């Protein structure tokens, strides 16, 4: 990202540092809402998934969804966080058309999850980002401004859907770290199955808090909060713009107002929404319709026993057991589906070759076709077959690439392609000797040159022999026989 580098270069010279804290809103993976049994399915017709609770009819009573509570605790465990056995649901009061209750049920002073941490793998090593808290809250409905020219329409399907707000400590120091942080959070939640992390569908979005300070300063500068940013790229752009804006103000001798800002994607700038003075007074108070939420040790332990191996632990195991490099392991565990695919392939195929083929050829195809690994055109079982055919010398690595290209179409069995196309590697010494003889006879001049000391020509003979074998000759054998014939 060009702007990013400009920012870092320009501001580094000025010795400024950017400080970032994120409030991530992650939609809980759950079939029904936080306090009602309405469906949460994405993409339904507007206002078809709305119960009396979600529409806030008089007399309605919210009933907590136990599954959502479990999901929040599960996420807390994944963040190595303190789980609070007692938490409280508050009413956060504000007035808006897409909030029929006139308040959002949220957790304020007593969240369900307390302090935790997330480890980032940065190019220069690992970095720990503190988690302040995770609390459960309801999502609001959606105001639609671009359908009717005269009115705002409201869709309440999202109203009451469970969100986890995950608040980081102000530990992030660059747009790059924000990128890695969001991806790591998303990876952990996908492993846990607690949030699908789908940013296009709004399942993961963040309020981005930004301040700047001179390097070496021990206190933080005044922060601005950029509301509701729904892609990593926009978060990074917003941070860069905002940090530059704040540095400029400081350089001009002005001060920063603590305020809430909006990021305008089209103009690539942040704009003031409201200042601290007219900040909302949410008049938080415990929701009288809901008892404090109390969970037992057993409830938490049962959830703990369901926690799968998470990315950090999986990475450690991959490095120790399979001797992968740190880099390879990081790539292979970053997405749970990728790690599953990898483990499937190496069940009975060489690890080193599998790693190279997955991170090389396969990733290239997925990238090119914009596919997730779960949509891979080549199944793990067929890739492992291909790798075994390379390993046992049936085909060379070069021919394997041709076979791989064929496999992409219809996930074909590599063995069948090799048979149908006659691509089997030629490893019969007699046959190879014959064709090498031919090469030697056809290139008497080159042989003379070689014998008179032009050793570099050896590669030429290998090339000719390979060509003569239509690419199917076993390279090791060709090398061996050529050496014997030419040097003997
Ligand atoms: P609020 O409800 O006022 O937004 P929260 O505690 O929910 O407060 O969130 C505050 C967020 O701002 C946290 O993510 C925190 O890390 C971050 N933050 C706090 N101080 C600063 C600062 N000086 N610079 C950048 N981020 C900050
Ligand atoms: Mg906030």
């Amino acid at each position: 990202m060009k702007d990013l580098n400009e920012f870092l270069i320009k501001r580094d010279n000025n010795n400024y540092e950017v400080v970032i804290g994120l409030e991530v809103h992650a939609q809980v993976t759950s079939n029904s809402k936080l306090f009602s049994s309405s469906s949460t399915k994405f993409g339904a017709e507007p206002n078809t998934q709305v119960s009396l609770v979600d529409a806030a009819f008089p007399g309605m009573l919210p009933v907590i969804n136990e599954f959502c509570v479990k999901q929040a605790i599960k996420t807390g465990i994944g963040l190595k966080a303190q789980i609070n056995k007692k938490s409280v649901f508050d009413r956060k009061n504000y007035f808006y058309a897409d909030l029929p209750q006139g308040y959002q049920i949220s957790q304020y002073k007593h969240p369900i999850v307390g302090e935790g941490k997330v480890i980032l793998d940065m190019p220069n090593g690992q970095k720990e980002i503190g988690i302040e808290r995770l609390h459960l809250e309801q999502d609001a409905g959606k105001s639609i401004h671009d359908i009717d020219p005269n009115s705002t329409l409201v869709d309440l399907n999202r109203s009451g859907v469970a969100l986890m707000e995950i608040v980081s400590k102000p530990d992030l120091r660059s747009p790059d770290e924000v990128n890695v942080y969001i991806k790591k959070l998303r990876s952990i939640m996908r492993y846990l199955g607690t949030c699908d992390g789908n940013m296009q569908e709004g399942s993961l979005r963040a309020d981005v808090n930004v301040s700047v300070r001179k390097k070496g300063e021990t206190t933080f500068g005044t922060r601005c909060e950029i509301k509701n940013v729904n892609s990593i790229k926009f978060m990074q752009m917003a941070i860069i713009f905002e940090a530059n804006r704040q540095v400029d103000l400081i350089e001009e001798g002005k001060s920063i107002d603590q305020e809430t800002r909006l990021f305008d994607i089209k103009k690539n700038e942040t704009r003031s929404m409201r200042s601290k003075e007219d900040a909302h007074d949410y008049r938080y108070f415990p929701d009288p319709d809901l008892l404090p939420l109390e969970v037992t040790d057993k409830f938490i332990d049962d959830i703990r026993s369901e926690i799968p191996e998470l990315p950090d632990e999986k990475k450690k195991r991959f490095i120790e057991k399979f001797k992968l490099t740190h880099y390879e392991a990081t790539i292979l565990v970053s997405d749970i589906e990728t790690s599953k695919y990898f483990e499937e392939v190496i069940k009975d195929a060489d690890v080193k070759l599998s790693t190279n083929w997955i991170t090389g050829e396969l990733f290239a195809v997925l990238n090119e076709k914009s596919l997730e690994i779960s949509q891979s055109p080549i199944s793990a079982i067929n890739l492992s077959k291909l790798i075994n055919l390379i390993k046992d010398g049936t085909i060379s690595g070069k021919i394997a690439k041709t076979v791989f290209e064929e496999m992409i179409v219809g996930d074909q069995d590599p063995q069948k392609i090799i048979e149908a196309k006659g691509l089997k590697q030629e490893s019969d010494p007699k046959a190879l000797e014959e064709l090498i003889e031919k090469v030697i006879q056809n290139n008497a001049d080159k042989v003379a040159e070689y014998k008179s000391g032009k050793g570099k020509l050896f590669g030429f003979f290998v090339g000719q022999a390979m060509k003569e074998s239509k690419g199917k000759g076993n390279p090791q054998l060709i090398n061996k026989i050529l050496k014997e014939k030419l040097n003997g």
Side-chain angles (χ1 to χ4, degrees):
M1 201 187 267
K2 184 163 155 277
D3 290 344
L4 169 62
N5 291 328
E6 267 171 22
F7 166 74
L8 292 174
I9 292 161
K10 186 169 151 205
R11 300 311 180 190
D12 264 2
N13 289 341
N14 286 335
N15 274 323
Y16 281 96
E17 167 175 74
V18 57
V19 173
I20 307 150
L22 294 184
E23 298 159 74
V24 168
H25 298 265
Q27 183 177 324
V28 175
T29 299
S30 160
N31 292 332
S32 50
K33 298 184 182 179
L34 184 54
F35 298 108
S36 86
S37 56
S38 312
S39 168
T40 59
K41 208 167 161 53
F42 180 82
E45 282 289 298
N47 298 309
T48 55
Q49 299 177 162
V50 187
S51 72
L52 299 177
V53 173
D54 312 320
F57 268 54
M60 63 79 179
L61 274 178
V63 177
I64 186 79
N65 180 341
E66 183 179 321
F67 183 71
C68 293
V69 173
K70 281 188 177 162
Q71 293 285 66
I73 292 176
K74 213 176 220 185
T75 307
I77 295 171
L79 301 176
K80 316 276 184 257
Q82 162 78 32
I83 307 299
N84 295 325
K85 283 160 70 181
K86 181 172 174 181
S87 61
V88 176
F89 285 105
D90 293 288
R91 289 186 180 180
K92 180 180 182 180
N93 299 278
Y94 65 93
F95 181 76
Y96 205 73
D98 57 24
L99 187 75
Q101 283 169 158
Y103 58 85
Q104 176 192 27
I105 305 179
S106 180
Q107 298 187 307
Y108 185 50
K109 289 218 176 96
H110 305 282
I112 187 160
V113 175
E115 291 189 336
K117 62 181 179 199
V118 171
I119 308 287
L120 307 189
D121 285 295
M122 301 308 296
N124 52 359
Q126 292 197 325
K127 171 159 182 183
E128 185 177 311
I129 303 300
I131 298 294
E132 183 73 46
R133 56 190 273 154
L134 175 157
H135 67 251
L136 275 169
E137 63 183 26
Q138 297 175 301
D139 205 347
K142 191 169 148 201
S143 298
I144 303 163
H145 305 285
D146 58 1
I147 292 184
D148 188 306
N150 301 313
S151 353
T152 290
L153 306 180
V154 176
D155 174 8
L156 292 181
N157 282 352
R158 227 170 57 187
S159 167
V161 165
L163 300 180
M164 297 180 279
E165 178 168 329
I166 304 168
V167 182
S168 85
K169 304 217 172 191
D171 288 347
L172 295 153
R173 292 289 176 275
S174 71
D176 273 347
E177 287 183 6
V178 167
N179 174 35
V180 177
Y181 172 75
I182 296 280
K183 286 185 177 151
K184 187 65 180 279
L185 257 191
R186 186 168 60 184
S187 164
I188 292 170
M189 293 190 290
R190 282 186 176 161
Y191 267 70
L192 293 166
T194 56
C195 169
D196 65 24
N198 189 333
M199 297 185 101
Q200 283 89 42
E201 294 180 4
S203 301
L204 198 73
R205 41 194 208 265
D207 299 339
V208 184
N209 296 271
V210 179
S211 67
V212 297
R213 64 177 173 187
K214 288 239 168 73
K215 278 196 181 145
E217 268 175 15
T218 48
T219 52
F220 290 133
T222 305
R223 72 179 154 117
C224 287
E225 177 178 356
I226 308 154
K227 276 281 175 203
N228 215 14
V229 190
N230 63 2
S231 94
I232 294 176
K233 190 163 161 243
F234 293 154
M235 287 177 203
Q236 295 184 308
M237 286 163 70
I239 291 164
I240 291 162
F241 175 86
E242 184 55 24
N244 276 304
R245 188 187 70 88
Q246 293 182 13
V247 169
D248 286 344
L249 282 173
I250 294 171
E251 291 287 305
E252 287 163 23
K254 295 179 183 151
S255 61
I256 317 281
D257 291 333
Q258 185 172 340
E259 57 184 1
T260 304
R261 301 178 70 87
L262 270 185
F263 181 58
D264 184 328
I265 301 159
K266 291 202 186 95
K267 294 196 178 139
N268 185 17
E269 64 177 29
T270 64
R271 269 201 311 275
S272 184
M273 233 172 111
R274 53 176 184 258
S275 68
K276 200 183 179 186
E277 287 73 54
D278 45 50
H280 284 301
D281 173 4
Y282 290 118
R283 293 164 292 128
Y284 280 102
F285 64 89
D287 191 316
D289 288 339
L290 292 158
L291 289 168
L293 180 64
E294 293 191 45
V295 294
T296 61
D297 284 324
K298 169 145 191 340
F299 188 78
I300 299 170
D301 288 342
D302 285 350
I303 297 170
R304 210 178 282 283
S305 69
E306 290 171 13
I307 301 284
E309 184 184 42
L310 292 172
D312 289 338
E313 289 83 45
K314 202 182 278 294
K315 186 165 83 188
K316 195 157 167 273
R317 177 166 65 87
F318 279 9
I319 291 171
E320 282 167 8
K321 192 166 163 197
F322 304 129
K323 307 281 175 267
L324 298 189
T325 64
H326 197 83
Y327 176 72
E328 290 166 339
T330 303
I331 302 181
L332 290 170
V333 306
S334 67
D335 167 56
I336 186 165
E337 296 302 329
T338 306
S339 74
K340 280 188 192 159
Y341 188 97
F342 169 73
E343 292 210 81
E344 185 74 26
V345 173
I346 60 165
K347 252 191 211 150
D348 46 22
D350 180 75
V351 172
K352 188 80 207 140
L353 272 176
S354 302
T355 306
N356 292 345
W357 275 83
I358 293 172
T359 59
E361 306 293 321
L362 185 69
F363 277 12
V365 170
L366 297 179
N367 253 337
E368 189 198 335
K369 300 186 186 283
S370 299
L371 296 174
E372 302 278 329
I373 195 144
S374 55
Q375 307 162 303
S376 168
I378 297 180
S379 60
I381 182 82
N382 277 336
L383 187 60
S384 91
K385 280 185 194 165
L386 179 71
I387 285 158
N388 281 324
L389 291 166
I390 304 169
K391 189 77 186 170
D392 69 14
T394 308
I395 51 172
S396 65
K398 190 150 175 261
I399 292 288
K401 294 200 174 159
T402 313
V403 177
F404 183 87
E405 292 299 321
E406 298 272 331
M407 288 168 72
I408 294 171
V409 188
D411 190 23
Q412 300 173 67
D413 185 327
Q415 186 74 49
K416 292 205 175 112
I417 297 171
I418 292 165
E419 278 161 20
K421 306 236 155 183
L423 293 172
K424 199 165 174 300
Q425 179 159 268
E426 182 57 83
S427 295
D428 173 14
K430 276 254 156 52
L432 289 176
E433 250 184 76
E434 258 172 49
L435 93 220
I436 284 170
E437 276 301 340
K438 207 164 142 201
V439 168
I440 288 178
Q441 275 163 27
N442 290 345
N443 295 284
D445 49 341
K446 292 271 183 353
V447 175
E449 279 183 56
Y450 177 82
K451 291 207 162 156
S452 66
K454 221 169 161 195
K456 273 191 187 154
L457 275 173
F458 191 75
F460 164 79
F461 293 110
V462 175
Q464 290 299 307
M466 274 313 258
K467 204 169 150 195
E468 194 62 37
S469 76
K470 302 199 173 59
K472 290 183 282 182
N474 179 322
Q476 283 84 30
L477 267 180
I478 287 185
N479 263 282
K480 186 167 161 266
I481 298 170
L482 262 175
K483 268 196 193 122
E484 287 165 6
K485 298 259 174 213
L486 289 172
N487 302 343

